Amino acid sequence: TSALTILGGVTVFVTGQLLSKFLIEPIQELRKAIGEVRFNLAHYAPIIHTPISRDKEHSDKAYDAIMRNSCDLLTKADAIPFYRFLPRRFVLPNQNIDSAAVDLRALTTYLHETGEKADSHIDEVNIRVKNIQRQLQLRPLESEPTAAQPGAPADPPQAAGR
């Protein structure tokens, strides 16, 4: 009886370790990679969305970081065994990861543009960023104006009694 108890304990331990090393940890690594995408989209937002703020040094840094994000998403998703069969509440669909990686790589093609060429591509850049946010289920960095907020900041509230 005690041998069965020990064997059962060892089996449970080994199974838990296998699940942890081959499933739980890779899923956490993918989530970290998605968090890094969010960080870099926020950190490099002035370079991404404002062509006038671009220079070679900053554009190179943004390019490297975003290209690394694209590669990390693909490799982290591929490291999860049976990824395609996991429930969607635990991981994003594989096609979302692949599409986000493609959009990240495409976004890097605009980072060194300046002047009129950059201005003509700003809508495409914004579409790419929104696609990435949607595919990775990230909250937008800036909220869209609503009917109550037509876009301009509201007047500050007036003090009572004035």
Side-chain angles (χ1 to χ4, degrees):
T1 306
S2 62
L4 287 175
T5 302
I6 292 172
L7 182 63
V10 168
T11 303
V12 167
F13 176 77
V14 169
T15 303
Q17 288 298 309
L18 289 173
L19 276 174
S20 175
K21 293 291 181 194
F22 292 108
L23 195 61
I24 296 170
E25 287 179 15
I27 289 173
Q28 287 298 88
E29 288 297 316
L30 177 61
R31 288 184 178 171
K32 285 181 189 176
I34 292 170
E36 283 292 317
V37 170
R38 172 113 172 119
F39 173 82
N40 284 323
L41 289 177
H43 183 73
Y44 293 110
I47 305 299
I48 294 169
H49 297 286
T50 314
I52 198 167
S53 69
R54 294 179 187 158
D55 62 31
K56 180 161 178 28
E57 179 185 351
H58 290 103
S59 292
D60 285 346
K61 287 180 182 179
Y63 177 93
D64 290 342
I66 293 171
M67 190 60 81
R68 187 173 26 260
N69 287 152
S70 174
C71 296
D72 279 349
L73 284 177
L74 295 173
T75 58
K76 305 288 186 199
D78 287 345
I80 301 171
F82 310 111
Y83 184 90
R84 295 181 195 283
F85 303 109
L86 294 175
R88 295 297 152 231
R89 74 184 109 157
F90 297 119
V91 294
L92 293 169
N94 200 42
Q95 65 205 34
N96 286 34
I97 299 294
D98 292 345
S99 295
V102 167
D103 279 331
L104 284 164
R105 283 192 309 275
L107 185 60
T108 64
T109 63
Y110 302 107
L111 295 179
H112 289 90
E113 293 180 346
T114 57
E116 288 183 27
K117 188 173 184 181
D119 292 340
S120 68
H121 289 136
I122 199 68
D123 288 336
E124 178 67 25
V125 166
N126 290 333
I127 289 168
R128 294 278 184 189
V129 170
K130 284 181 183 181
N131 285 344
I132 294 163
Q133 291 171 338
R134 181 181 42 76
Q135 291 155 351
L136 298 180
Q137 297 178 0
L138 302 173
R139 287 177 292 123
L141 295 175
E142 296 180 11
S143 61
E144 297 290 326
T146 61
Q149 292 176 294
D155 292 331
Q158 298 296 322
R162 281 193 170 174

